[in-house]
Structure formats: structure tokens, C-alpha cells
Amino acid sequence: MSERTERSAGREGMPGGNGMSERTERSAGRESTPGGNGTGVVGAGAVAGKRVVRPYGDTTGDGMVQVSFTLPVPHDKRAEGAAVQLANRMGIDPAMLVHAKPMSDGFTFFVVYGRVNHLVDLDQVQVVERDFPLLGAKEVNAVVKQRLRRKLSVVGACIGTDAHTVGIDAILNVKGIAGEKGLEYYRELKVTNLGAQVSVPELVEAARRERADAVLVSQVVTQRDAHLHNTREMSAAFREALPAGKRPLLIVGGPRFDETMTAELGVDRIFGRGTTPGEVASYLVHALVTSRKAGA
């Protein structure tokens, strides 16, 4: 439905490649000590007692990264110089421009390859770990039937002006994604997919009508933080419309969400890129059934 910067260790960084643009320099401004022995893991003599790594490009621990960006300038020599200057100010030195292509009138897309001195302290990385077991479809159905004694109701939608239903359909539709069936496949789950561009009042009303145990919202449109504004609006609407004990579980997902922002956004769970229907189903069982948060 967020790639973490710590995953940049071990990625290929060959210039002109079509993979990654892992911006390791944004690894939370951790250690920036350029010392070490040139290996991927800096020895205890460099940063005592810490597990630190540096990016991998051509050789282990060479600090090479590849980044891509667009500048609002027409493609010419000055634009290419501007891209290199920006990369230098990002801490990439030396910076090599490996690709430049006009996007449209007055815009140019760049790929820059070069070295950074920043280190990643693995012990300081903060992520949301999965705190529930992964269950198969048969296990999910059995737990819901035995413990909940009714079908678990799920309502899903893309809210606001978001018309990108690929994410919500991958989780809800029976065809699922990558060979894994969606939630419609689970016989003990009642799924209502409202589709795209659903207003928040419409979502609240549908959740009330379907007696939803959980509401799943997918947000792909992120310009000007639309996904954050929409999510805050949704959570506020449910708090206003329903008392605490009657509110459904609120779950959002999308490629640009930070999974650590649940409290700030007023939701129960955030799922990021690569989430599967099985993960969502397992979480629903964990949160609503085995943790005894569901009503009778």
C-alpha cells in the first residue's frame, strides 16, 4: 500500500542502472564520521560499540549512492551544472551526472551518482515491526468463526480526489496481488469496496450502514501532503460521528505514509509499500478478535 532508508545498505548503485534512488544521506543525520576501513560495516575502532554501515555502489563500503530528481529548468549545460551543484549541497561529492532528459517545457529530469560520507547507525533506526503472527486464509476464517461468531465487516475506499484504486483493489478484490487472494476471498469476512473519490461523510455513512469492524483507506495521491490531510479529516470525522467503543478500526495505506505516524494521524495502523492481503487479514484478526477489541 515505505521504503526505509536503512535498506539502502547492500543495494546496487551502478550509474545508469534502473534501480534504486535510495537517499542514504537522509538516514536521520546519524553519524557523519568519514573514518573507517572502507568496508560496509565500520569496525569498532572507528565507532566503538555501534553497528554502522555505509552505502554500497561499485565496491563494498565505497559510500556510492544514486539519486534522481527534477529541476524546473530547460535542459542545457547550465541545467546540468545546476543538478551537480544541488547534488554537492546534498553531500554527494564527487557527484557525476549520469542521465539528463527533458520532461516538458522548462523541466528536466536528472540522475546523479556519487559518494557520500554519511554513515547509518543501525541501532538508531526506528521502524514499526510486525507485532502479530501471519495467518493463512483458513486460519483467519477459523478464528473469526470461532471467536467472533459472525462475519467480520470491512469497508474500503480511496477518499478525497484520489482515483487510484490499484492499492485498495489489490487488498480487497478476490484476485488480490502477486498470486495472493484479496480479502473478498475470505469467507468469514464481509467486504464492501466503495472504490475511488469517496468523500469522508460518505465513508462514515457506509461504515455505519455496514456496521464496519474496520475501515481501510488507500491514498496514492500525495501532492501537498493530500494523503495526510485526508487521513486527519477521516479520523476526526469518525471521532465526531461515533463514540469510542463503537468506532471501527481505522487503517490507511499508501507508498508515502510513514508507518510511525499512527498517533499523529489518529488511526490504528498504517501499512506501507509491499503490504499483502494476508498481512492485513492477519492484523484484523489480531486487533479485532484475538486482542478482544471487537464487539459482540
Side-chain angles (χ1 to χ4, degrees):
M1 257 182 184
S2 99
E3 292 281 17
R4 298 289 170 188
T5 329
E6 70 272 16
R7 294 180 188 170
S8 57
R11 295 293 179 90
E12 288 293 340
M14 297 298 293
N18 57 6
M20 78 289 172
S21 67
E22 297 284 353
R23 304 197 178 189
T24 319
E25 70 276 13
R26 298 197 316 191
S27 298
R30 312 287 184 214
E31 301 291 336
S32 58
T33 309
N37 53 14
T39 63
V41 179
V42 179
V47 185
K50 294 187 176 182
R51 295 188 303 153
V52 293
V53 295
R54 60 173 79 241
Y56 169 93
D58 298 318
T59 59
T60 304
D62 59 10
M64 302 300 282
V65 298
Q66 181 170 296
V67 298
S68 62
F69 51 86
T70 301
L71 290 179
V73 293
H75 181 213
D76 56 19
K77 286 292 186 180
R78 184 175 295 274
E80 294 185 356
V84 172
Q85 181 186 104
L86 175 62
N88 287 153
R89 292 183 177 180
M90 291 167 62
I92 303 175
D93 188 17
M96 296 172 281
L97 182 65
V98 297
H99 179 74
K101 182 177 181 180
M103 295 284 288
S104 61
D105 291 342
F107 291 87
T108 307
F109 174 77
F110 301 96
V111 177
V112 176
Y113 183 69
R115 178 181 294 108
V116 296
N117 288 322
H118 305 287
L119 307 180
V120 180
D121 184 348
L122 297 178
D123 294 324
Q124 295 295 319
V125 172
Q126 296 182 353
V127 297
V128 176
E129 299 284 0
R130 177 167 53 82
D131 55 357
F132 53 89
L134 283 178
L135 305 176
K138 290 183 179 180
E139 294 173 297
V140 169
N141 288 328
V143 173
V144 172
K145 186 174 183 178
Q146 294 170 8
R147 302 280 294 276
L148 196 59
R149 297 178 181 275
R150 61 172 174 80
K151 290 195 174 184
L152 191 156
S153 177
V154 179
V155 172
C158 298
I159 59 175
T161 60
D162 200 326
H164 299 76
T165 61
V166 174
I168 197 70
D169 288 344
I171 298 300
L172 298 184
N173 286 2
V174 66
K175 65 182 179 181
I177 185 173
E180 184 173 325
K181 301 288 189 181
L183 300 191
E184 290 179 347
Y185 173 75
Y186 294 69
R187 65 175 181 271
E188 297 301 326
L189 270 58
K190 177 190 175 188
V191 176
T192 304
N193 188 347
L194 302 178
Q197 297 182 322
V198 177
S199 70
V200 169
E202 289 172 334
L203 179 63
V204 173
E205 179 56 31
R208 197 198 306 266
R209 182 177 65 251
E210 300 296 334
R211 302 183 66 179
D213 296 295
V215 170
L216 273 59
V217 166
S218 173
Q219 291 283 264
V220 175
V221 174
T222 60
Q223 285 86 345
R224 299 184 180 181
D225 289 336
H227 60 308
L228 303 181
H229 299 313
N230 290 341
T231 300
R232 290 190 179 100
E233 180 186 353
M234 176 193 68
S235 61
F238 273 99
R239 286 197 302 272
E240 182 178 343
L242 298 168
K246 299 294 183 179
R247 285 197 294 270
L249 206 66
L250 299 181
I251 303 169
V252 297
R256 292 281 298 277
F257 277 107
D258 181 344
E259 293 176 336
T260 65
M261 292 179 65
T262 52
E264 181 179 340
L265 296 179
V267 297
D268 296 285
R269 190 80 180 194
I270 296 173
F271 284 107
R273 186 190 307 276
T275 299
T276 66
E279 290 179 87
V280 176
S282 297
Y283 172 71
L284 293 177
V285 167
H286 167 75
L288 293 167
V289 183
T290 60
S291 295
R292 301 180 183 278
K293 292 183 180 178

